[in-house]
Amino acid sequence: MGVRRAAKGIGEFLVETVGETIAEALLSLLACALLVCLVFIAYLSWSLSPRLTVVGGGLLSLFLAHGAWVTFRDPARGRRRRGVAAVTTVGFTLTAATAVFLLFYATGCDCL
C-alpha cells in the first residue's frame, strides 16, 4: 500500500507542477501581449497627433487622479459614490489592477 500512496502523491505533485507552469506561461504571454498592445496604441496615437496624445494623457491623468482621490478619501456619512465619482473609482481600480498585473508578469518580458 505504501508504494501506491507514494506513486499517487508523486502523480498529484507532477500534475500540480505542470499546471502551475502552464498557467504561469499563459499569464506571462497575456501580460506581454497587453504590454505590446499598450505600446502600439501609444505609438499609433503619437504618430497621428502628438498634441492630442499629450492632451489625452493629461485628461487620463486627471481622470485617474480623481479616481484615486475618491477611492482613498473618507466618504461622507450616508452618501454613496454617484456619477462621475463612481466611474473614476472604477477606472482607477482597473488601471491599478492592470499595473500590478503587468508588474508581476511582464517584468521578464523580452518582447520589447
Side-chain angles (χ1 to χ4, degrees), residues 26-110:
L26 286 175
L27 286 173
S28 295
L29 182 67
L30 180 66
C32 193
L34 179 63
L35 193 60
V36 167
C37 286
L38 289 173
V39 168
F40 180 69
I41 288 169
Y43 170 76
L44 193 61
S45 175
W46 187 263
S47 67
L48 291 176
S49 176
R51 289 181 184 163
L52 285 178
T53 302
V54 171
V55 169
L59 289 174
L60 182 64
S61 297
L62 286 174
F63 177 81
L64 293 176
H66 185 265
W69 178 69
V70 170
T71 300
F72 294 118
R73 74 177 175 143
D74 293 331
R77 283 196 162 198
R79 296 192 67 196
R80 297 181 323 166
R81 292 185 180 103
R82 295 184 184 163
V84 174
V87 171
T88 58
T89 299
V90 169
F92 171 73
T93 304
L94 288 175
T95 304
T98 302
V100 169
F101 173 72
L102 288 175
L103 179 70
F104 285 140
Y105 289 104
T107 52
C109 183
D110 295 330

